[in-house]
Amino acid sequence: MEHVLGPFEVSFVRQALWAGILVSLVCALAGTWVVVRGLAFLGDAMSHGMLPGVALASLMGGNPLVGAALSAGAMALGVTALGRSARLSQDTAIGLLFAGMLALGVIIVSRARSFAVDLTGFLFGDVLAVRGQDLVTLAVAVAIAALVALVGHRAFVALAFDPRKAHTLGLRPRLANAAMLGLVTLAIVASFHVVGTLLVFGLLVAPPAAMVLWARRIPMIMLGSAVIGSASTAAGLLVSWHLGTAAGATIAAVAVAAFFASALLARLRHGSAA
């Protein structure tokens, strides 16, 4: 038991565990809709599309969190605007904005002397350097995300499965889509500065994808995703501690491994049932 509980007696590992649990909660609330609607590419694009705002905020001595929020908001607005074009598919719009924002961010960051360090921190974060203030920020983000998910649940469900019916029922699908993008943006922005875009995207997609193979109801998918994400955080921190690997990347790898294990078990179950 010492090998399992020992690492969590260290304060910074315990802080990292709480941060990972909070990130898992907010990502479960937003990531469920990303997976259900097939928007994984959008989540990836938005997580990397924050780079220009983060870079500009850092160079100007501002708050990187504010820069990330503005950049992600611009990305969401761009996707919404281009998505209305009948000649462009949503994937095309996302791909164009993804490439453009990432290129712009790299250009801005390359002007700074600490290019390699800044870009590495943006991608991978430092979950072991979490402070109490970061935990408060994440807790507030979880509360806001839970409120948005609760208020918009009916409209989100209709939008995910039958947009035409959502319009017929007067649920304002465009507004619901904007709110859903806002929910995803909140999850990514609130979490990236603590754990990096790699871990955010891993916990945004992998746990809900693992859970959607076993549950049909949205609340159950969210609950299961939160459990899988939290368990992946704890397991990833343990592996990282004993093997000396990067904590954030290890947590993301464990979450993805949990998805493949879930997919294998689901396949075996269906095979035996047949």
mmCIF file of all heavy atoms in Angstrom, residues 206 209-211 213-214 256-270:
data_model
loop_
_atom_site.group_PDB
_atom_site.id
_atom_site.type_symbol
_atom_site.label_atom_id
_atom_site.label_comp_id
_atom_site.label_asym_id
_atom_site.label_seq_id
_atom_site.Cartn_x
_atom_site.Cartn_y
_atom_site.Cartn_z
ATOM 1 N N ALA A 206 -11.242 11.214 -24.308
ATOM 2 C CA ALA A 206 -11.068 9.792 -24.005
ATOM 3 C C ALA A 206 -12.087 9.235 -23.002
ATOM 4 O O ALA A 206 -12.723 8.205 -23.289
ATOM 5 C CB ALA A 206 -9.637 9.538 -23.529
ATOM 6 N N ALA A 209 -15.596 9.044 -24.536
ATOM 7 C CA ALA A 209 -15.610 8.034 -25.600
ATOM 8 C C ALA A 209 -15.622 6.631 -25.020
ATOM 9 O O ALA A 209 -16.265 5.724 -25.565
ATOM 10 C CB ALA A 209 -14.391 8.222 -26.507
ATOM 11 N N ALA A 210 -14.927 6.445 -23.897
ATOM 12 C CA ALA A 210 -14.931 5.135 -23.239
ATOM 13 C C ALA A 210 -16.292 4.827 -22.649
ATOM 14 O O ALA A 210 -16.778 3.685 -22.711
ATOM 15 C CB ALA A 210 -13.858 5.100 -22.151
ATOM 16 N N MET A 211 -16.948 5.850 -22.095
ATOM 17 C CA MET A 211 -18.215 5.637 -21.401
ATOM 18 C C MET A 211 -19.391 5.497 -22.356
ATOM 19 O O MET A 211 -20.369 4.805 -22.043
ATOM 20 C CB MET A 211 -18.459 6.802 -20.434
ATOM 21 C CG MET A 211 -19.543 6.539 -19.417
ATOM 22 S SD MET A 211 -19.138 5.116 -18.367
ATOM 23 C CE MET A 211 -20.784 4.721 -17.739
ATOM 24 N N LEU A 213 -19.649 3.832 -24.873
ATOM 25 C CA LEU A 213 -19.790 2.443 -25.305
ATOM 26 C C LEU A 213 -20.644 1.617 -24.353
ATOM 27 O O LEU A 213 -21.092 0.526 -24.704
ATOM 28 C CB LEU A 213 -18.399 1.798 -25.425
ATOM 29 C CG LEU A 213 -17.432 2.440 -26.422
ATOM 30 C CD1 LEU A 213 -16.040 1.812 -26.307
ATOM 31 C CD2 LEU A 213 -17.958 2.283 -27.843
ATOM 32 N N TRP A 214 -20.874 2.156 -23.141
ATOM 33 C CA TRP A 214 -21.588 1.396 -22.120
ATOM 34 C C TRP A 214 -22.897 2.046 -21.674
ATOM 35 O O TRP A 214 -23.749 1.379 -21.089
ATOM 36 C CB TRP A 214 -20.686 1.212 -20.890
ATOM 37 C CG TRP A 214 -19.442 0.459 -21.207
ATOM 38 C CD1 TRP A 214 -18.248 0.968 -21.615
ATOM 39 C CD2 TRP A 214 -19.272 -0.957 -21.173
ATOM 40 N NE1 TRP A 214 -17.339 -0.036 -21.830
ATOM 41 C CE2 TRP A 214 -17.929 -1.223 -21.559
ATOM 42 C CE3 TRP A 214 -20.108 -2.017 -20.833
ATOM 43 C CZ2 TRP A 214 -17.427 -2.520 -21.634
ATOM 44 C CZ3 TRP A 214 -19.599 -3.305 -20.893
ATOM 45 C CH2 TRP A 214 -18.269 -3.546 -21.300
ATOM 46 N N VAL A 256 -6.329 7.578 -22.458
ATOM 47 C CA VAL A 256 -6.507 6.984 -23.786
ATOM 48 C C VAL A 256 -6.474 5.458 -23.684
ATOM 49 O O VAL A 256 -7.254 4.761 -24.350
ATOM 50 C CB VAL A 256 -5.417 7.497 -24.751
ATOM 51 C CG1 VAL A 256 -5.486 6.748 -26.078
ATOM 52 C CG2 VAL A 256 -5.573 8.995 -24.982
ATOM 53 N N ALA A 257 -5.574 4.934 -22.839
ATOM 54 C CA ALA A 257 -5.512 3.482 -22.641
ATOM 55 C C ALA A 257 -6.820 2.961 -22.048
ATOM 56 O O ALA A 257 -7.278 1.858 -22.398
ATOM 57 C CB ALA A 257 -4.337 3.129 -21.726
ATOM 58 N N ALA A 258 -7.449 3.756 -21.177
ATOM 59 C CA ALA A 258 -8.731 3.357 -20.596
ATOM 60 C C ALA A 258 -9.800 3.248 -21.678
ATOM 61 O O ALA A 258 -10.661 2.358 -21.634
ATOM 62 C CB ALA A 258 -9.157 4.370 -19.534
ATOM 63 N N PHE A 259 -9.741 4.157 -22.666
ATOM 64 C CA PHE A 259 -10.697 4.063 -23.770
ATOM 65 C C PHE A 259 -10.516 2.763 -24.542
ATOM 66 O O PHE A 259 -11.490 2.056 -24.836
ATOM 67 C CB PHE A 259 -10.548 5.236 -24.733
ATOM 68 C CG PHE A 259 -11.165 4.970 -26.083
ATOM 69 C CD1 PHE A 259 -12.542 4.982 -26.226
ATOM 70 C CD2 PHE A 259 -10.375 4.642 -27.181
ATOM 71 C CE1 PHE A 259 -13.126 4.679 -27.451
ATOM 72 C CE2 PHE A 259 -10.952 4.353 -28.398
ATOM 73 C CZ PHE A 259 -12.331 4.366 -28.547
ATOM 74 N N PHE A 260 -9.267 2.424 -24.890
ATOM 75 C CA PHE A 260 -9.033 1.199 -25.661
ATOM 76 C C PHE A 260 -9.413 -0.041 -24.854
ATOM 77 O O PHE A 260 -9.940 -1.020 -25.411
ATOM 78 C CB PHE A 260 -7.577 1.126 -26.106
ATOM 79 C CG PHE A 260 -7.258 2.032 -27.267
ATOM 80 C CD1 PHE A 260 -6.449 3.141 -27.100
ATOM 81 C CD2 PHE A 260 -7.785 1.782 -28.528
ATOM 82 C CE1 PHE A 260 -6.165 3.987 -28.174
ATOM 83 C CE2 PHE A 260 -7.517 2.614 -29.600
ATOM 84 C CZ PHE A 260 -6.706 3.723 -29.425
ATOM 85 N N ALA A 261 -9.182 -0.019 -23.539
ATOM 86 C CA ALA A 261 -9.596 -1.138 -22.699
ATOM 87 C C ALA A 261 -11.118 -1.255 -22.685
ATOM 88 O O ALA A 261 -11.677 -2.361 -22.771
ATOM 89 C CB ALA A 261 -9.063 -0.945 -21.277
ATOM 90 N N SER A 262 -11.801 -0.111 -22.610
ATOM 91 C CA SER A 262 -13.265 -0.105 -22.635
ATOM 92 C C SER A 262 -13.789 -0.622 -23.967
ATOM 93 O O SER A 262 -14.754 -1.404 -24.015
ATOM 94 C CB SER A 262 -13.775 1.321 -22.384
ATOM 95 O OG SER A 262 -15.180 1.381 -22.496
ATOM 96 N N ALA A 263 -13.156 -0.190 -25.065
ATOM 97 C CA ALA A 263 -13.578 -0.637 -26.391
ATOM 98 C C ALA A 263 -13.382 -2.140 -26.550
ATOM 99 O O ALA A 263 -14.239 -2.829 -27.129
ATOM 100 C CB ALA A 263 -12.787 0.109 -27.465
ATOM 101 N N LEU A 264 -12.274 -2.663 -26.022
ATOM 102 C CA LEU A 264 -12.009 -4.102 -26.109
ATOM 103 C C LEU A 264 -13.032 -4.894 -25.303
ATOM 104 O O LEU A 264 -13.568 -5.909 -25.774
ATOM 105 C CB LEU A 264 -10.594 -4.396 -25.608
ATOM 106 C CG LEU A 264 -10.175 -5.871 -25.588
ATOM 107 C CD1 LEU A 264 -10.224 -6.463 -26.998
ATOM 108 C CD2 LEU A 264 -8.779 -6.030 -24.996
ATOM 109 N N LEU A 265 -13.320 -4.430 -24.096
ATOM 110 C CA LEU A 265 -14.304 -5.117 -23.256
ATOM 111 C C LEU A 265 -15.692 -5.074 -23.890
ATOM 112 O O LEU A 265 -16.433 -6.061 -23.842
ATOM 113 C CB LEU A 265 -14.343 -4.473 -21.868
ATOM 114 C CG LEU A 265 -13.130 -4.729 -20.975
ATOM 115 C CD1 LEU A 265 -13.228 -3.909 -19.692
ATOM 116 C CD2 LEU A 265 -13.012 -6.220 -20.651
ATOM 117 N N ALA A 266 -16.045 -3.927 -24.475
ATOM 118 C CA ALA A 266 -17.346 -3.809 -25.136
ATOM 119 C C ALA A 266 -17.441 -4.757 -26.325
ATOM 120 O O ALA A 266 -18.483 -5.382 -26.556
ATOM 121 C CB ALA A 266 -17.573 -2.373 -25.591
ATOM 122 N N ARG A 267 -16.340 -4.884 -27.049
ATOM 123 C CA ARG A 267 -16.318 -5.795 -28.203
ATOM 124 C C ARG A 267 -16.455 -7.248 -27.755
ATOM 125 O O ARG A 267 -17.190 -8.033 -28.367
ATOM 126 C CB ARG A 267 -15.023 -5.604 -28.992
ATOM 127 C CG ARG A 267 -14.962 -6.403 -30.288
ATOM 128 C CD ARG A 267 -13.653 -6.150 -31.017
ATOM 129 N NE ARG A 267 -13.581 -6.867 -32.269
ATOM 130 C CZ ARG A 267 -14.058 -6.421 -33.436
ATOM 131 N NH1 ARG A 267 -14.664 -5.241 -33.477
ATOM 132 N NH2 ARG A 267 -13.958 -7.134 -34.536
ATOM 133 N N LEU A 268 -15.757 -7.600 -26.679
ATOM 134 C CA LEU A 268 -15.850 -8.971 -26.156
ATOM 135 C C LEU A 268 -17.248 -9.261 -25.638
ATOM 136 O O LEU A 268 -17.777 -10.371 -25.823
ATOM 137 C CB LEU A 268 -14.823 -9.153 -25.026
ATOM 138 C CG LEU A 268 -13.345 -9.163 -25.452
ATOM 139 C CD1 LEU A 268 -12.439 -9.216 -24.218
ATOM 140 C CD2 LEU A 268 -13.057 -10.322 -26.386
ATOM 141 N N ARG A 269 -17.859 -8.271 -25.001
ATOM 142 C CA ARG A 269 -19.215 -8.467 -24.492
ATOM 143 C C ARG A 269 -20.195 -8.694 -25.622
ATOM 144 O O ARG A 269 -21.042 -9.598 -25.565
ATOM 145 C CB ARG A 269 -19.629 -7.249 -23.658
ATOM 146 C CG ARG A 269 -20.990 -7.433 -22.979
ATOM 147 C CD ARG A 269 -21.489 -6.143 -22.375
ATOM 148 N NE ARG A 269 -21.811 -5.152 -23.408
ATOM 149 C CZ ARG A 269 -22.441 -4.013 -23.165
ATOM 150 N NH1 ARG A 269 -22.789 -3.687 -21.934
ATOM 151 N NH2 ARG A 269 -22.709 -3.160 -24.152
ATOM 152 N N HIS A 270 -20.098 -7.876 -26.663
ATOM 153 C CA HIS A 270 -21.009 -8.040 -27.796
ATOM 154 C C HIS A 270 -20.753 -9.343 -28.530
ATOM 155 O O HIS A 270 -21.673 -9.985 -29.041
ATOM 156 C CB HIS A 270 -20.841 -6.857 -28.767
ATOM 157 C CG HIS A 270 -21.330 -5.574 -28.183
ATOM 158 N ND1 HIS A 270 -20.818 -4.331 -28.537
ATOM 159 C CD2 HIS A 270 -22.306 -5.319 -27.266
ATOM 160 C CE1 HIS A 270 -21.425 -3.398 -27.854
ATOM 161 N NE2 HIS A 270 -22.330 -3.961 -27.077
#
